[in-house]
Amino acid sequence: MDSALEDECQAINAIYSADTLSVLSHDPIICSLNLPGEVNISLRLEFPSDYPDAPPSILGTQSVGDNVAKGQGSHAVDLAREVLAEVYQPGSPCIFDLVEEVNQRLQQYEQQSSQSQGHQEQQDAQRRGQQHSDDDASDTLPDELQSLDLLPSDKEPPWIISDPFTEKKSVFVARAAVVSSPAEAKSFLAHLLATDKKVAKASHNITAWRIHGPNETAFQDCDDDGETAAGGRLLHLMQLMDIWDVMVVVTRWYGGVHLGPDRFRLINTAARDAFVKGGYVKDSSKPDTNSKKKGKK
């Protein structure tokens, strides 16, 4: 095996896992490439003897896990071939760029497929005459919220709403409100999801709250709503800002482009904007009177 390919194997396996790029044979040079983001799919690649002066070939799948959806393996092969044609430059190793781009596009494809499936299910429900009316919107809430006593539809929680923040077509908006108990926080969230269809259909509604309870007790909780680790980061922001007796909901509408770690910055930026607008941030230059300054919507 050429030293350039050997060096690339070592680098790829150091970045991901020890068996990400494995040599299966030396004449011809056949390798197995496990996609890190799709651990149940591996591709079979053939490298020419003069790689990287000449591009590798993607022969097909090396293995496909039992729980992989039908057609997903073929889609991964087609996508990898498309990406390879875009990223390969004569004389330059290309496997790292291939892995990163294929993973991003597969994740985007899965999310779009999930959204399309949800849309199809909604259409099927409408055809069966099972679409709920606005009065029954609470039936679409998560199980843990359905049992709560919802606020009357005409009693809007005192939300303080941030400016919208947009990045690569993803939109982030935060809502913050004063709450006195976890039950009230959950009730506010349930009311929001039941009365605002646009929010209910968003990609994620990340929540966090910190509440002083009776007898010097304290309640802190958060929910990622599918945006992994986002809820914990939101709660950590509240801890750093020393914000109490407040809940926050950051809504994200996914724009089709992965933002990577930038999404956490935007989530926190939206939340911080709502906290500041609501007057929930303590002014260290003034004495603490234990009072909450309420902002205007």
Side-chain angles (χ1 to χ4, degrees):
M1 183 171 61
D2 184 84
S3 60
L5 180 55
E6 185 175 2
D7 291 342
E8 189 166 14
C9 278
Q10 294 176 356
I12 292 294
N13 292 336
I15 294 171
Y16 300 106
S17 62
D19 58 350
T20 300
L21 186 60
S22 304
V23 179
L24 303 178
S25 69
H26 291 274
D27 189 16
I29 304 173
I30 305 292
C31 293
S32 171
L33 176 63
N34 292 322
L35 300 177
E38 293 290 329
V39 293
N40 292 318
I41 298 178
S42 64
L43 304 178
R44 188 177 179 88
L45 278 63
E46 180 175 358
F47 289 84
S49 58
D50 56 347
Y51 173 83
D53 292 330
S57 300
I58 299 173
L59 304 179
T61 55
Q62 175 66 22
S63 65
V64 177
D66 295 335
N67 62 339
V68 175
K70 184 178 181 181
Q72 185 78 352
S74 297
H75 175 71
V77 171
D78 292 341
L79 183 60
R81 287 169 175 162
E82 176 184 322
V83 170
L84 180 62
E86 296 175 5
V87 302
Y88 172 73
Q89 297 292 332
S92 300
C94 62
I95 303 304
F96 174 76
D97 291 336
L98 173 67
V99 171
E100 287 291 297
E101 188 63 28
V102 168
N103 277 341
Q104 284 195 9
R105 296 192 190 184
L106 279 176
Q107 290 172 13
Q108 182 177 343
Y109 172 78
E110 289 176 0
Q111 187 154 5
Q112 290 173 343
S113 296
S114 177
Q115 291 173 347
S116 297
Q117 182 179 0
H119 181 65
Q120 183 62 48
E121 289 174 354
Q122 186 182 46
Q123 289 182 328
D124 291 343
Q126 288 174 333
R127 282 193 292 268
R128 295 193 302 267
Q130 296 177 349
Q131 184 68 26
H132 296 295
S133 66
D134 289 347
D135 293 338
D136 296 326
S138 61
D139 292 342
T140 64
L141 298 175
D143 293 341
E144 67 271 16
L145 297 180
Q146 288 190 23
S147 61
L148 294 173
D149 292 330
L150 293 180
L151 297 172
S153 59
D154 60 347
K155 185 180 179 182
E156 181 76 14
W159 295 119
I160 303 299
I161 304 177
S162 75
D163 291 338
F165 294 86
T166 304
E167 183 80 16
K168 296 179 180 177
K169 298 183 180 180
S170 280
V171 180
F172 300 80
V173 173
R175 288 171 171 81
V178 173
V179 287
S180 58
S181 69
E184 185 176 39
K186 293 177 182 179
S187 180
F188 280 11
L189 176 61
H191 182 277
L192 175 63
L193 296 179
T195 59
D196 193 320
K197 291 183 178 180
K198 185 177 180 181
V199 171
K201 293 179 180 179
S203 307
H204 309 286
N205 284 292
I206 307 125
T207 58
W209 61 72
R210 302 181 78 215
I211 301 167
H212 280 128
N215 302 320
E216 299 185 354
T217 57
F219 303 96
Q220 301 184 105
D221 203 359
C222 60
D223 184 10
D224 297 337
D225 192 31
E227 188 72 281
T228 305
R233 290 171 183 253
L234 203 52
L235 181 59
H236 184 57
L237 174 67
M238 297 183 73
Q239 293 168 342
L240 291 175
M241 299 180 73
D242 195 24
I243 292 176
W244 283 97
D245 301 316
V246 171
M247 73 173 297
V248 63
V249 182
V250 180
T251 303
R252 178 189 181 184
W253 291 271
Y254 178 66
V257 179
H258 290 283
L259 301 181
D262 274 353
R263 66 190 187 278
F264 299 122
R265 172 181 57 80
L266 290 157
I267 290 167
N268 279 7
T269 298
R272 185 186 297 273
D273 188 57
F275 294 149
V276 172
K277 281 183 167 61
Y280 308 136
V281 183
K282 291 184 178 180
D283 187 344
S284 59
S285 65
K286 298 180 180 180
D288 185 2
T289 59
N290 293 321
S291 64
K292 303 181 185 72
K293 178 184 176 184
K294 295 184 180 180
K296 297 181 179 180
K297 287 179 62 179

